[in-house]
Amino acid sequence: MLAAETEFNRSIGDLSGRMPKVLRIGCFEPFGALFMPEMLRSYLDSVGDVEIDLVEADQIQLQERLVAGQIDLAILYDIGPIGIDSVTRVCKVPAHAVLNADDPLATRDGIWLAELAARPLVLLDLPHTATYLLTLFDVLAKRPEVRFRTRSYETVRSAVATGFGMAILKMRPIGRATADGDEIVRKPIFDELPPPTLIVADMYGSAKPLFVRVFIEMFHRFFTAVGPGGFSVTTPEREPFLLVARDG
Amino acid sequence: MLAAETEFNRSIGDLSGRMPKVLRIGCFEPFGALFMPEMLRSYLDSVGDVEIDLVEADQIQLQERLVAGQIDLAILYDIGPIGIDSVTRVCKVPAHAVLNADDPLATRDGIWLAELAARPLVLLDLPHTATYLLTLFDVLAKRPEVRFRTRSYETVRSAVATGFGMAILKMRPIGRATADGDEIVRKPIFDELPPPTLIVADMYGSAKPLFVRVFIEMFHRFFTAVGPGGFSVTTPEREPFLLVARDG
């Protein structure tokens, strides 16, 4: 363990001449504002300045761009088909409910999907995301009426704040500039749902270049430091199981 | 004037049976969270409930989708080529500076582009948007070093909050769930810049269906009610010229 830490620190000290000038990272669209700048800040504070080219795309586009060599890394969920073999699992992010603060359910400790199904839905309409979400309802409750469709996490939040209905999201915002307003409330869902896992995918397999290894290590440290209470909305008894062990 | 108002109210009262069940609206990506839910809320409060299918896309995709009949209306800026003839101009939205609160320039009343050019840039890298912005710098100052590229308005804001540099944006957030945090400050730019105009484009020309006419009217009312101080960041002497007269 100590040897690994020493090796890691040596690698970093050694990195200045071996970093690409531009770091080309793909991430699932909502992650761009939710945590990427914070995470990249801590990465650059350690390894020195590089230009960041952040490619925000959907789960399908990210895998295509990775295979085409347009990005060095992709950060996504393991929902839907993942055709990339070289994957590092970071943490599980359970779905939670996003309610207008005026909703009577907003005072509760948590909510059942069957209760949410009676409300109109503001749907994050991205490939696989919408399927994952509607499948949960189909399995555990009746499907809610879709009232508002959008590709944007931020628009989902605005639409719930403006009274269009409830939403189901996974990640909670971590970035400094995207805090929720007073008009929305996030609550755990009591049902046992399969939580998507946040993964870092690359095309290098066991031959990862140093900057990729360092990025993945920093990424894992970032989510460990933020902790389940910072990135997820879930019940207290589930929180201890959300972080994936470093070699997991 | 009174006659027009009466006619408008009669049209609305008459509208219930003539609304499409799904309103398919395209908007320039950042507008989704910045004001669309608020605006749509006031629209639906007047005309009754319909399902909203909001298609957030870039300036080029929006025009393609409008021509292909996939959306009824597109809300965009008049930057870059606009190949649609049926356009309603709503308001002008001058570019402004977005600074980290720790930046010494953040205490000033306004800023010159030449001062900003010395800082690293967080670039909203969408088609035409990036070109518009870099062209401003090329004309009036030297071009800043791009430090962070993203397609997302929200990520721009997060990256500035996290210390990656300054940004230039146009619209200020109007929606309830997307207020700026304490880490960023918005300031007018003193240079005389060509302000993009917010437009509503459709394919109907003078034969607009009632729901389209009502939407455009409501859209104009919404921005009039919000006012230049609510949607823009500019100098006091420029504010009176930002709203486009209804028949302008």
Side-chain angles (χ1 to χ4, degrees), chain B residues 46-73:
Chain B
S46 295
V47 304
D49 278 350
V50 290
E51 181 187 327
I52 304 291
D53 189 354
L54 188 62
V55 177
E56 286 132 323
D58 66 40
Q59 300 264 131
I60 296 165
Q61 293 163 340
L62 284 174
Q63 295 183 63
E64 288 170 354
R65 287 178 190 171
L66 198 56
V67 170
Q70 294 164 358
I71 49 177
D72 298 307
L73 292 155

Side-chain angles (χ1 to χ4, degrees), chain B residues 132-175:
Chain B
Y132 167 84
L133 180 55
L134 294 174
T135 303
L136 292 182
F137 276 106
D138 286 346
V139 172
L140 290 162
K142 76 181 178 68
R143 188 182 283 205
E145 175 204 347
V146 176
R147 180 77 169 287
F148 196 121
R149 291 172 189 272
T150 165
R151 287 179 68 88
S152 153
Y153 183 105
E154 297 295 329
T155 306
V156 167
R157 200 157 67 162
S158 286
V160 173
T162 320
F164 279 95
M166 60 84 194
I168 311 285
L169 295 174
K170 297 181 283 288
M171 186 78 62
R172 171 204 281 284
I174 301 171

Side-chain angles (χ1 to χ4, degrees), chain B residues 73-93:
Chain B
L73 292 155
I75 299 155
L76 64 167
Y77 286 127
D78 68 344
I79 56 174
I82 302 292
I84 313 285
D85 291 333
S86 184
V87 156
T88 307
R89 299 167 71 231
V90 177
C91 57
K92 298 177 195 171
V93 192

